[in-house]
Amino acid sequence: MNNCPVGESLCYTNIMKTYIVGNWKMNFSVGESSVYLHKLLQKVRAARDLKIVVAPSTIALQPLSLQTDRKKIRLAAQTANPHDFGAYTGEVSFTQLRGIVDYCIIGHSERRHIFHETDKDVRNAVAAALRNGITPILCIGETETERTFGETYDVLRDQLLGGLSQVSTEDIAKVMIAYEPVWAISTTSDARLASPDDISAVTQFIRHTLEDTYSKKVASEIPILYGGSVRPSNAGAYLTIPDINGLLIGGASLIGEQFLDIIETARRVQS
């Protein structure tokens, strides 16, 4: 990765909660989701400074919202339509998810690259989430080609500011950011994982950009998560990176033992 265009003197205080977010993607039936959540609830302990969030398929959200203990585990949607209502066959709006989920993953690389969601789609979704009292988890990340050509920070700046372009200074504190380098997602090779130095440089860049756009207070208080082939063997290293406030987990969140192991790692890092 190219050197981050941020001075070394920047320092942000990391005193906020830790978030462990499991993105189940298009896995598990409603019944399987319910059984898995039940097992997690039996083993997860409530903690004030550690927030556990799972993002099941849309069809499982409503029944799981009646099942979960929100002191232990909260729900996130994986996507939603930014229109509050209308003739959009097959879509689910943030308005319909209000009261069911507390969070929504927005701008995930799979939504951007497979379903061709644009920066306009992403910023409209962020605005709709906030309008409906749902915390947006705005995902940003560069592809391998963009990284190779030295475009990482241009891409991240465009995605970050594009996603937040309709967010006021009053609402920005309600947003979370997730850095997911596309080139590191779903890799089984340790050599292709993002290094702590790479991630630290990006988080500094994100906070510097937020400071320039909003304020240093905002920059220091917005939670930044990391996602990209997170598993029990590397979760601890990622969670000890300065300015990382949690993890967005894909494959490992589908395996109970691995997900619980990561949660316990987060507890140990916090203590």
Side-chain angles (χ1 to χ4, degrees):
M1 181 179 287
N2 293 348
N3 292 330
C4 178
V6 177
E8 293 296 329
S9 61
L10 281 177
C11 180
Y12 298 95
T13 304
N14 187 346
I15 58 174
M16 61 190 75
K17 294 179 176 66
T18 299
Y19 297 84
I20 302 297
V21 182
N23 180 10
W24 294 357
K25 304 189 180 183
M26 199 173 70
N27 294 287
F28 299 149
S29 66
V30 173
E32 290 167 340
S33 298
S34 177
V35 170
Y36 185 26
L37 179 61
H38 176 72
K39 292 179 178 178
L40 289 176
L41 288 169
Q42 287 182 314
K43 297 183 178 180
V44 168
R45 292 175 287 132
R48 178 176 299 178
D49 295 326
L50 178 61
K51 297 295 184 183
I52 312 303
V53 182
V54 295
S57 297
T58 300
I59 58 170
L61 285 171
Q62 197 278 333
L64 265 58
S65 72
L66 302 177
Q67 176 185 347
T68 195
D69 179 348
R70 294 177 71 250
K71 293 180 181 178
K72 293 183 176 181
I73 298 177
R74 301 207 177 193
L75 298 180
Q78 297 178 17
T79 187
N81 190 292
H83 295 91
D84 289 340
F85 56 88
Y88 302 101
T89 300
E91 294 294 285
V92 175
S93 71
F94 286 93
T95 304
Q96 292 171 312
L97 291 172
R98 190 166 51 199
I100 295 176
V101 304
D102 292 290
Y103 304 88
C104 184
I105 300 169
I106 297 175
H108 190 280
S109 61
E110 291 163 0
R111 300 297 310 177
R112 293 179 188 267
H113 297 293
I114 297 176
F115 298 99
H116 308 294
E117 288 188 358
T118 65
D119 287 341
K120 180 180 178 180
D121 296 327
V122 171
R123 69 171 173 261
N124 287 340
V126 169
L130 292 169
R131 186 168 67 243
N132 286 282
I134 295 170
T135 299
I137 303 174
L138 172 62
C139 297
I140 62 175
E142 78 282 15
T143 66
E144 186 168 17
T145 299
E146 290 164 342
R147 180 174 185 253
T148 299
F149 283 93
E151 300 171 349
T152 292
Y153 295 105
D154 290 334
V155 170
L156 296 181
R157 182 186 294 105
D158 289 347
Q159 291 180 350
L160 180 64
L161 296 183
L164 298 177
S165 62
Q166 295 184 30
V167 180
S168 67
T169 53
E170 291 77 18
D171 284 338
I172 186 61
K174 304 172 187 175
V175 176
M176 297 168 60
I177 308 297
Y179 172 53
E180 284 201 310
V182 182
W183 49 270
I185 295 175
S186 300
T187 182
T188 57
S189 169
D190 288 345
R192 289 181 59 81
L193 294 173
S195 73
D197 286 345
D198 285 343
I199 299 167
S200 181
V202 167
T203 57
Q204 284 282 304
F205 173 76
I206 291 171
R207 294 198 190 277
H208 179 78
T209 303
L210 291 170
E211 180 180 344
D212 285 347
T213 308
Y214 294 95
S215 70
K216 186 164 186 175
K217 184 176 186 294
V218 165
S220 67
E221 293 179 351
I222 287 185
I224 298 179
L225 314 183
Y226 175 72
S229 301
V230 176
R231 42 188 182 257
S233 60
N234 58 34
Y238 290 143
L239 285 168
T240 54
I241 296 171
D243 288 319
I244 284 293
N245 310 109
L247 302 170
L248 178 56
I249 305 158
S253 73
L254 302 174
I255 304 169
E257 290 183 359
Q258 292 190 20
F259 194 48
L260 289 166
D261 194 352
I262 293 171
I263 292 170
E264 288 306 309
T265 297
R267 290 186 192 279
R268 290 194 298 270
V269 169
Q270 267 197 329
S271 59

